[in-house]
Amino acid sequence: MGLALQKEEFNNSAINLSKRRLGRTNLMVSPVCFGSLRLTPQNGIYKETLFKALESGIHFIDTSGTYGNGASEIVIGEAIREYLHEFPQDKDELVLCTKMGVIQGATLQEMNKRVNTGNKTPGFYKITDRVSYCLTPEFIESQLSMSLRRLQVNKVNIVLLQNPEYLLKTLGSKDTFLKYLKAAFEHLEVEVAKGRIDHYGISSSAFLKKEIAQDHLSIKEIYELAESISENHHFSVAQVPFNLFETSPLFLKNQNDKTFFEAAKEYDLGLLTCRPLTSHHRDKVHHFITFPGKDEVSVKGKLHKTLMEVIEMEKDLFIKLPHHKELKWGHLLRSNLHKISDWWKWNLYLQKQILPSLQNCIDQLPPVPEWNHWKINYVNNVHTLFSLITDSLQGIANLRTNQICHYLNEHCDILEGESKLSNKVTRLYLSVAEIDSIVMGLSNPQHIEDLLEMGNIPDSEQTLKIFKSIKMRF
């Protein structure tokens, strides 16, 4: 891969990747953290992206055992092993953070099997059909052991308990919840003593809820819980969402008359922020991303033409094989295309629902030459259709992106030369002194290139004015 040459080139980049102190952990971390939610063995480009991130000085990695049923940690372990073979001198620079508590996917299926056979797991609580939760010492110990094996390391620097408010809401009792949390903290202190972790913390949006909310989490209450275990405790990190439209950690005084950032820094906690490029605002999902420009008229024309071709193929199928009417994506999309307005929701639906169903239905068709030819043409056409729908939705998203870019340029001169909205907002985030590192889902090598080309960080006062005013505009 020519890693050495690439690394030298990246170290001359414009972005200031000077490391920041992660609160009372005293770990020095890059201001951008590699978020690995979609890092899987099937997506080879993600591994390439992780390599590029490591080479460019982004040595802080955030993951979870639930990401891809542990696949994210497996890919990270493989990538780190290969990277350190090339650059062994960087071993002490790497900082690994994983999460636990939430149970999904294969782990949930296994635990449900135990419950169904009468082997109930104490402290195991169902949240929804797809999510359960557990904070018992036994569960934490087993999950940590699996994470260490997948990551191919003897220790992770940070373990975050993910969304413990799920348990709080399910229990309906703050006292009972705090007993579970204390038991979890006590075990995590044992893991520190064993040398399997350095620090622990919590990742949760419940820190940002109003104090009257049932699932509100208090930094003071949780920190004092850790102090009750030991004066030398290792509760040291908190992670919350923060972005252009979700700025409550900076302004909402919901922590004993302090903002979340103020309260966390009072205890010298390391502060991580997540969801920097996706915001939930006014019942809509907003994405701070600039997509490649496409000819909107051309896209719509090709979309209509391809849609009609798919529909005609389906009609032919229904006539000749009337028992195979499941392959009707053209018909369904023609009826529902006007309801699809968000490319992100469309992409999730495409990946999780449409493509698996499509493959299953294709496999059910007769394995004869006539239908083999039909399969190839149909699959090619529907994939073209899906791509055109994505292009159309991204074009719509760019209209909002351009409006936000224009607003930021008007209110912050230093951002005018920045072409991509993702870089504009990242520069704003980097100017917030309280934030130690931003967890970003870097899913493509180009995302690293974009970061490396970013300009200077704006003045913090200018940034605060933008954060205060922009939600009123959009």
Side-chain angles (χ1 to χ4, degrees):
M1 291 181 64
L3 297 182
L5 289 176
Q6 290 184 38
K7 184 174 181 180
E8 182 179 351
E9 177 186 341
F10 292 141
N11 284 341
N12 293 324
S13 66
I15 184 176
N16 181 3
L17 284 177
S18 296
K19 296 190 174 182
R20 302 180 178 186
R21 175 179 171 271
L22 187 62
R24 66 194 302 272
T25 71
N26 288 320
L27 294 168
M28 299 303 293
V29 298
S30 51
V32 172
C33 173
F34 188 95
S36 62
L37 175 61
R38 292 173 182 83
L39 189 69
T40 66
Q42 290 74 33
N43 295 316
I45 196 168
Y46 286 92
K47 188 174 181 180
E48 180 186 343
T49 306
L50 177 54
F51 264 106
K52 185 166 282 193
L54 291 168
E55 294 156 7
S56 67
I58 300 174
H59 293 150
F60 189 14
I61 304 172
D62 174 273
T63 186
S64 168
T66 63
Y67 295 169
N69 288 325
S72 169
E73 292 181 332
I74 290 172
V75 176
I76 290 169
E78 292 172 351
I80 288 175
R81 186 188 69 240
E82 295 173 25
Y83 177 78
L84 291 180
H85 178 75
E86 194 80 23
F87 304 109
Q89 69 275 16
D90 286 350
K91 181 178 181 180
D92 293 337
E93 301 294 315
L94 291 173
V95 177
L96 297 177
C97 172
T98 193
K99 307 184 194 75
M100 52 192 61
V102 173
I103 308 170
Q104 294 174 304
T107 304
L108 178 58
Q109 291 175 7
E110 180 61 32
M111 296 193 79
N112 282 337
K113 285 180 183 177
R114 295 180 191 174
V115 172
N116 293 336
T117 56
N119 297 319
K120 292 187 177 181
T121 302
F124 174 74
Y125 291 92
K126 179 180 178 180
I127 308 301
T128 68
D129 288 339
R130 295 186 176 184
V131 178
S132 290
Y133 206 88
C134 190
L135 279 186
T136 64
E138 296 79 11
F139 178 76
I140 291 173
E141 181 176 28
S142 68
Q143 293 300 298
L144 178 58
S145 295
M146 286 191 283
S147 290
L148 294 174
R149 284 196 297 272
R150 289 189 290 249
L151 291 165
Q152 302 183 45
V153 295
N154 297 320
K155 177 182 74 174
V156 292
N157 304 94
I158 303 162
V159 165
L160 298 180
L161 302 182
Q162 188 176 14
N163 300 330
E165 70 275 12
Y166 289 176
L167 182 60
L168 172 57
K169 289 182 72 173
T170 301
L171 293 171
S173 165
K174 176 62 79 68
D175 289 341
T176 305
F177 166 74
L178 290 175
K179 288 178 181 178
Y180 271 107
L181 192 61
K182 185 175 182 179
F185 281 10
E186 287 172 340
H187 181 74
L188 289 167
E189 291 292 344
V190 171
E191 297 293 357
V192 172
K194 288 180 179 178
R196 301 213 300 172
I197 68 173
D198 288 328
H199 301 274
Y200 58 92
I202 289 176
S203 172
S204 174
S205 60
F207 284 126
L208 312 180
K209 297 287 185 72
K210 293 181 179 179
E211 287 179 294
I212 59 172
Q214 179 192 359
D215 55 347
H216 170 264
L217 294 181
S218 163
I219 281 285
K220 181 176 184 292
E221 192 170 41
I222 292 173
Y223 193 86
E224 288 177 350
L225 182 72
E227 283 189 317
S228 72
I229 297 170
S230 170
E231 291 183 2
N232 300 315
H233 65 87
H234 296 81
F235 175 74
S236 310
V237 180
Q239 181 182 117
V240 294
F242 180 81
N243 54 59
L244 196 60
F245 292 161
E246 294 177 280
T247 56
S248 59
L250 200 53
F251 299 119
L252 178 64
K253 292 186 178 295
N254 70 331
Q255 298 285 338
N256 292 314
D257 205 33
K258 297 183 179 69
T259 69
F260 172 77
F261 281 168
E262 289 170 343
K265 284 304 176 184
E266 183 175 297
Y267 295 109
D268 195 24
L269 295 180
L271 275 183
L272 309 179
T273 59
C274 58
R275 219 162 64 208
L277 303 181
T278 303
S279 176
H280 301 278
H281 175 54
R282 293 182 178 175
D283 297 323
K284 291 183 179 180
V285 179
H286 302 266
H287 309 283
F288 308 121
I289 301 170
T290 304
F291 296 104
K294 300 285 178 70
D295 185 326
E296 187 177 345
V297 175
S298 175
V299 168
K300 286 187 175 180
K302 291 177 182 177
L303 197 162
H304 176 74
K305 179 176 179 292
T306 307
L307 178 60
M308 297 314 296
E309 289 174 355
V310 170
I311 288 173
E312 288 304 313
M313 291 190 72
E314 291 172 354
K315 287 180 178 178
D316 184 49
L317 172 70
F318 298 160
I319 293 170
K320 295 179 179 178
L321 294 176
H323 297 299
H324 290 272
K325 290 191 175 181
E326 296 85 1
L327 280 168
K328 54 184 177 181
W329 289 112
H331 286 77
L332 287 172
L333 287 170
R334 181 174 60 178
S335 302
N336 294 282
L337 205 54
H338 67 285
K339 300 177 184 178
I340 304 171
S341 60
D342 182 87
W343 76 270
W344 183 258
K345 290 181 180 178
W346 156 252
N347 187 58
L348 287 177
Y349 184 62
L350 178 64
Q351 299 299 327
K352 294 187 176 182
Q353 301 290 332
I354 296 179
L355 293 181
S357 173
L358 172 64
Q359 186 59 54
N360 181 60
C361 292
I362 288 291
D363 291 342
Q364 302 302 315
L365 292 176
V368 296
E370 176 189 358
W371 289 108
N372 287 340
H373 180 70
W374 187 94
K375 290 179 197 177
I376 293 171
N377 288 338
Y378 182 79
V379 169
N380 287 339
N381 279 349
V382 292
H383 277 282
T384 299
L385 176 61
F386 299 156
S387 295
L388 289 166
I389 292 173
T390 299
D391 289 343
S392 177
L393 293 173
Q394 289 181 351
I396 294 171
N398 272 347
L399 296 176
R400 173 53 62 92
T401 291
N402 293 337
Q403 292 174 344
I404 296 174
C405 282
H406 181 70
Y407 182 90
L408 294 178
N409 291 342
E410 278 189 333
H411 291 78
C412 188
D413 294 344
I414 198 174
L415 296 178
E416 281 192 45
E418 192 76 73
S419 62
K420 295 187 176 180
L421 179 56
S422 57
N423 276 10
K424 289 180 188 289
V425 297
T426 299
R427 286 166 67 184
L428 291 174
Y429 304 151
L430 289 171
S431 72
V432 179
E434 292 88 348
I435 299 174
D436 297 318
S437 193
I438 305 160
V439 181
M440 301 191 73
L442 304 169
S443 57
N444 189 293
Q446 184 59 48
H447 296 165
I448 307 296
E449 297 282 5
D450 292 343
L451 285 174
L452 300 177
E453 294 171 0
M454 283 199 309
N456 294 327
I457 296 172
D459 175 80
S460 58
E461 290 187 11
Q462 209 170 17
T463 296
L464 287 176
K465 288 179 181 178
I466 290 173
F467 283 147
K468 285 180 179 178
S469 64
I470 194 166
K471 283 197 296 184
M472 300 301 293
R473 174 65 176 79
F474 295 95

